[in-house]
Amino acid sequence: MAIACDHGGVDLKDVLIKDLAASGWTVLDLGTDGPESVDYPDFAVKLAQALKDGKAERGVLLCGTGIGISIAANRFDHIRAALVHDAFGARMCRQHNDANVLVMGGRTIGPEVARDCLKIFTETEFEGGRHARRVSKLSANG
């Protein structure tokens, strides 16, 4: 699992990395690592490249609200980044949308809700079926 964030998601990233490691995931931490202001698009690019290169199958992105970094990530054809705020969104983004990147806001979601969303995201499978047709339309060739 790859994970990246800007300065607005550093504290939450540290919490989520611990949960991922405790659940047996190999974590690819792509930064940032401190409170200094950085540009969220740079970290979305790092994560998108890691997924494209096969270094991870899924990822987590964090910024202050999750909005900017999700927009940046979804510019890439192979990314389906879903900004979630609760457990239901985390479940649906996997079951119905086959999201491969979970996005949350470090300033808009509490750590316990974020941990719950991450657990659901990692444990939920894509349903396929009628959803597969729709997901295929999300790609440039769909």
Side-chain angles (χ1 to χ4, degrees):
M1 180 79 64
I3 189 166
C5 67
D6 74 354
H7 54 280
V10 171
D11 293 338
L12 186 55
K13 181 184 74 140
D14 293 342
V15 169
L16 299 179
I17 285 174
K18 289 177 186 172
D19 280 7
L20 286 167
S23 296
W25 287 89
T26 299
V27 180
L28 176 60
D29 182 353
L30 300 169
T32 194
D33 299 316
E36 298 80 24
S37 182
V38 295
D39 298 334
Y40 59 81
D42 298 339
F43 294 90
V45 169
K46 286 183 180 189
L47 188 129
Q49 192 63 51
L51 269 60
K52 186 174 185 177
D53 292 345
K55 293 179 182 176
E57 291 183 20
R58 288 195 225 167
V60 177
L61 286 172
L62 308 163
C63 71
T65 63
I67 297 168
I69 207 162
S70 66
I71 292 169
N74 279 314
R75 294 177 26 228
F76 298 90
D77 289 343
H78 64 286
I79 300 294
R80 287 179 307 283
L83 174 58
V84 303
H85 300 95
D86 55 35
F88 182 73
R91 182 171 292 106
M92 290 298 101
C93 82
R94 287 291 306 134
Q95 283 182 342
H96 290 190
N97 307 115
D98 198 20
N100 58 354
V101 177
L102 175 68
V103 184
M104 295 179 283
R107 296 177 182 143
T108 61
I109 192 169
E112 292 309 313
V113 173
R115 294 174 74 208
D116 190 34
C117 290
L118 178 64
K119 182 175 181 1
I120 291 166
F121 179 79
T122 60
E123 295 177 355
T124 302
E125 296 297 323
F126 178 49
E127 283 183 1
R130 70 185 190 277
H131 304 294
R133 180 184 74 247
R134 296 166 185 158
V135 169
S136 73
K137 291 180 178 185
L138 298 175
S139 71
N141 301 322

